[in-house]
Amino acid sequence: MHQAKHLVRDTLLVLLGNLILAFGVAVFAVPSNLIVAGATGIALIICEFIPVNYATVVFVINMVMLLLGFIVLGKKFAAGTILSSLIFPFFLAMFEAIPQLQHLTSDMLLSAIYAGLFTGLGCGIVFRVGYSTGGMDIPPIIMNKKLHISLGVCVYLFDVVVLLGQSFFTSFEGILYGIITVFITAIVLDKVTIF
């Protein structure tokens, strides 16, 4: 009975975390053309070359990273991450399909701040129950477990690499806003996972 309650609680937290994360990305980052990190950032780079929906590319990246997580971190981790890997692209597509949410603000600084807050909070909730949101969260979690480096620092390092990849398709100002988003994400993520 206790184990069933624990499973229900974890599942609800994973759903909530992914909902918050997708909201930040689909409502603030993507409509403002902010450069974003993680699987979404890689998807946006790929979409510059291939005309495909970014939520679909995120799904494919999530599946590849899920396999890596299963191999390195084990069955329990993979089982908990499967839900995120499936539900995050769904939430992205859902928020993307609501036109009113695509124009909440035209202020780039507000978009950068809120994208960072929602991303950090969403990821933090999922990480706190011992799972991942899938995608490019998995390599930092592997680094954290194997090398004992702060999860926020690991996520920040991977995110900076993805941001640099997008720097060819955006303005210098866009890069600066993207750095604000990633910085806020790392701070909020560390606070939520340590709290």
Side-chain angles (χ1 to χ4, degrees):
M1 185 67 178
H2 177 70
Q3 198 170 9
K5 273 186 182 176
H6 195 72
L7 182 62
V8 169
R9 188 206 68 189
D10 285 0
T11 301
L12 290 174
L13 286 171
V14 167
L15 288 170
L16 176 65
N18 276 281
L19 184 75
I20 292 169
L21 172 60
F23 184 80
V25 171
V27 174
F28 293 103
V30 174
S32 299
N33 292 317
L34 282 174
I35 57 174
V36 291
T40 307
I42 293 172
L44 292 174
I45 293 170
I46 291 169
C47 290
E48 288 289 329
F49 301 99
I50 303 167
V52 64
N53 182 283
Y54 79 96
T56 305
V57 180
V58 168
F59 177 77
V60 172
I61 292 168
N62 281 351
M63 292 302 106
V64 172
M65 289 297 116
L66 182 62
L67 182 61
L68 177 66
F70 173 76
I71 292 166
V72 178
L73 299 169
K75 279 189 262 186
K76 185 178 178 228
F77 174 83
T81 303
I82 285 171
L83 180 59
S84 287
S85 298
L86 296 172
I87 205 73
F88 178 65
F90 169 77
F91 284 146
L92 271 181
M94 181 184 78
F95 287 128
E96 194 180 41
I98 303 170
Q100 296 85 346
L101 292 179
Q102 303 306 302
H103 308 288
L104 286 187
T105 182
S106 57
D107 186 305
M108 286 287 282
L109 183 58
L110 281 178
S111 293
I113 291 168
Y114 280 97
L117 287 172
F118 282 111
T119 301
L121 179 60
C123 286
I125 290 169
V126 176
F127 289 178
R128 193 168 167 91
V129 291
Y131 302 123
S132 146
T133 56
M136 295 310 293
D137 293 340
I138 292 173
I141 290 171
I142 292 170
M143 278 179 69
N144 171 256
K145 292 220 183 280
K146 302 290 182 187
L147 305 175
H148 307 291
I149 302 169
S150 157
L151 196 50
V153 170
C154 293
V155 168
Y156 184 76
L157 291 173
F158 273 85
D159 285 353
V160 166
V161 171
V162 176
L163 290 180
L164 290 174
Q166 291 172 78
S167 64
F168 301 105
F169 314 113
T170 191
S171 66
F172 184 69
E173 191 177 61
I175 295 167
L176 294 176
Y177 282 121
I179 290 169
I180 290 171
T181 301
V182 168
F183 186 68
I184 292 171
T185 298
I187 290 170
V188 174
L189 176 64
D190 261 349
K191 296 290 182 197
V192 173
T193 51
I194 291 168
F195 176 72

